[in-house]
Amino acid sequence: MSEEVTTSYQKVQAFPTWLLSVKILQAKNIRKADRRNGADCYIMLWLPTASKEKARTQTILNSTTPIWNKTFYFIIQSQVKNVLELRIYDEHLHSNDDLLFTLLFDVAEVCPGERILANFILNPERKEELDVEFAVQEHLGHLESLITNNVLVSRPVSCLNVCVVKGKSMKRLKEENDLELRVKGSFEDTWKMALESGLVESFHFHYTTYWEPELNAHLQHCSSNEEQDKKNSSASLTMPLKLLSTGKEVNVVLPVSVTSPEVRTCWRYSHVSAHLLSGRAGRRPVGGGHQSPGSPENLDMRLGFNLCEEEKSFLHKRKQVVADALKSILQLKEDLLDHEVPVVAVMATGSGCRSMVSLYGQLSGLQKLNILDCITYISSTSGSAWTVSNLYEDSNWSQKDLARPIHEAKKHVTKNKISTFSLEHLIHYQTELSHRAEQGISTSFSDLWAVALENVLHDKVNDFKLSDQQQAVNEGQNPLPLYLALNVKENHISAFDFKEWCEFSPYEIGFLKYGAFIHSEDFGSEFFMGRLMKKNPESRICFLEALWSNTLAVNLLDVWNKLSSTDEDWHKLIQGKMRNIERGYVPPQNSTYLETSWMCPDGMLSKIIREVLTDRPLHHHAHNFLKGFHLHKDYYQDSQFSMWKDCQLDQFPNRLTPSEDDISLVDAAYFINTSCPPLLRKERKVDVILSFDYSLDAPFQSIEQMEKYCMEQGIPFPRISVSEEDKQNPRECYLFIDDENKKAPIVLHFPLVLDSFQNFKETGVKRSKTEMDEGAVPLAGCHSPYRLMNFTYTKKDFDKLLKLAEYNVQNNRDWILQAFCMAIEQKKCGRQQSQCPST
């Protein structure tokens, strides 16, 4: 066994493979779905950690006690979670087969060198049973060098290079004849090429080395009927890749019969030759091509639950900025030691333009209190993410007066948006999405929302990207921005039943649950087993802003559905996905909502929009950068995974994200309207959270939901206890502390409320009678200008909301400083306790 290497919780170690035999013996008392007589029964076997191919038994006709005695073999790796799926079907000739039973068997129950007979009780009442024999023995092969963080496992990947040389008489073949090459289970899966004489073409297949797949090649006539094309194949070849030696070239010949179109008879033979070269796949491709041989221990992504080196460097630099700011604002006599400097974070929820404008006001208030330099992180989602992404286009924004970015935001929020879906803009949107499709990026309604949102927020194409924000944090000059989205199962499983937190930072994008992160500029590129297969261009920031806020596009979908009379199923689908974020909302008859003035489904506009909507679901589709990974045999017990596992699917590794080709990302508000999870990673050690909530009717709902979630997951978080009186008449600020668990952050919660601002224009300065109108901010009611889907404010409404948010922060300066002092004291006490000898 090789020496173990550990870097950033990522381990590299060699383990042997094993040979699993599964002998399907017999079933008992199996009847058809209608229970009238015996089923035409067969069994499908699928072990996705050993092969993408599904094996099956023969069909036993009309028998209640089918006997197969058929043995299947799989090469398995004992360090991954091998779960065998057995599906029992009743076969039908003229309709879909009936699935009678599904069995999941954890191969870890069979010890190496052991043979066990398993009797599965399928239906106790009808005494339906299945007998299967399992055995595991040593597989005489090479050791597998595995890379793992104890949740995900990356296995060795081989690269097959196929160089195809066509015979000289290929010109006799019609152009519509294609040669298809396929390695099932490989990253590429299938390549097709036209047979034109004299050309030499090369193709690559990347596959898990010990799966031992086959190369299948056949000539097929191209038509709309793919099944018929396979039957018309005039030549085929099957080559087991285990016959190839690493680094040794093998030549194979595919004979081709050429048919005369006049007499329809075979009159000449030619051939297609292929040179096969197998080798170990290496690291990142150059210039967007395929990988070249290299060190298998080097992945193009990071496996580990700790922070990346870039963020660690940021924290080191930011800590000094925070220490100096705290010393000044708290009037400390001595400098804070490194371990005494608290990590303070701003957490902003989403609520469209309301959250965007409010966050500008709150950040302005923090800046005027000289507190902004005390902040280490800013997390955001939905509309608050628009504020953050706009600010970070300036690499020194927190050191400057925020009047300029606020003025720019005001210009776009108050402008007339009637032209957002004009013919000119629609043509531009279509061009943008077509360009993304040409780059290999799947487009959906979320992308239409993105380019429309870019027009709303910028009035122009904004080439800024997430990775560009690194310039704003490289010296620790600003807080580190964090964004949040949810990965969900598309359409058939709700966000309440399956969701995975996906965080975005200027440095990395990754899943908290799996401890897997890629460089931010690689999001949208294609990965396999942790290797970068195809480098795609990084998307502009608008496409990420759209996925962080795509709940806001639901009403746009609904309006389009109503106006264009598209099918009812879509309407039900979208309605089922969207939670009622603002209770009691009743749209006014004379609505000024943005979407009602955007959409005009007649004539050319309708045609263009229909062409743009290539994919109806609202999810943001992206290539799955976890594709190919396996789950570690003990993944479910890993403490880091356990912090974020929260659904039944977590117990079924074959159904988790690594098995998917794509990921579907949605706004965090589909589950909880919060951006808190990235701040609760224990590696970030956040001590104080300034929680900015922008809900109008339930100012404690999100934080209460977060507390419940954290309690269920075992994540330190203070208890949220609010009286009914406070829920009916909330104050400007609430302090929540967990005295029993010092690992829980101190939370200062700021609801968006109209309290003392009605009578005070500044802290301690009352309004005159002529100024009372400026303190009347219409937050409540269905006619409020700040309702969720209103994207257009008057200048007066903009200023009122901005000043309210700014005032509510400034008026609670003492609460904020008190929280800072408590955090510093806790850190000092923690240091003193850690230095005390154990008793």
Side-chain angles (χ1 to χ4, degrees), residues 20-25 71 115-118 131-135:
L20 167 70
S21 65
V22 181
K23 188 174 184 179
I24 308 296
L25 299 173
T71 303
R115 186 177 298 273
I116 66 171
L117 177 63
D131 294 330
V132 183
E133 184 181 81
F134 298 93

Side-chain angles (χ1 to χ4, degrees), residues 708-766:
K708 179 181 178 182
Y709 176 87
C710 289
M711 184 180 296
E712 293 171 349
Q713 307 310 120
I715 300 172
F717 199 80
R719 294 297 305 271
I720 306 301
S721 179
V722 184
S723 67
E724 287 301 319
E725 180 181 353
D726 279 331
K727 288 185 177 181
Q728 294 298 322
N729 299 288
R731 304 191 308 269
E732 296 163 350
C733 181
Y734 292 81
L735 179 65
F736 300 110
I737 306 173
D738 191 336
D739 293 323
E740 298 179 358
N741 186 356
K742 299 304 180 183
K743 292 183 179 180
I746 298 170
V747 176
L748 273 173
H749 187 64
F750 290 83
L752 184 60
V753 296
L754 182 61
D755 190 8
S756 61
F757 183 71
Q758 299 176 83
N759 300 312
F760 290 84
K761 61 180 180 180
E762 296 177 15
T763 301
V765 181
K766 282 193 172 185

Side-chain angles (χ1 to χ4, degrees), residues 760-829:
F760 290 84
K761 61 180 180 180
E762 296 177 15
T763 301
V765 181
K766 282 193 172 185
R767 296 185 184 278
S768 64
K769 291 184 178 181
T770 59
E771 296 171 327
M772 295 302 291
D773 179 65
E774 296 177 8
V777 186
L779 295 177
C782 62
H783 294 280
S784 169
Y786 309 117
R787 54 193 180 270
L788 180 66
M789 287 304 296
N790 187 23
F791 280 61
T792 305
Y793 295 175
T794 65
K795 292 181 179 180
K796 184 177 180 180
D797 289 333
F798 181 98
D799 290 338
K800 282 186 176 182
L801 182 59
L802 182 79
K803 291 177 181 178
L804 169 66
E806 181 178 286
Y807 170 86
N808 283 356
V809 167
Q810 291 181 303
N811 196 47
N812 290 278
R813 174 181 181 274
D814 292 344
W815 281 101
I816 298 174
L817 299 188
Q818 179 184 345
F820 290 173
C821 291
M822 294 172 63
I824 293 173
E825 189 62 29
Q826 284 185 3
K827 295 182 81 68
K828 287 182 177 180
C829 291

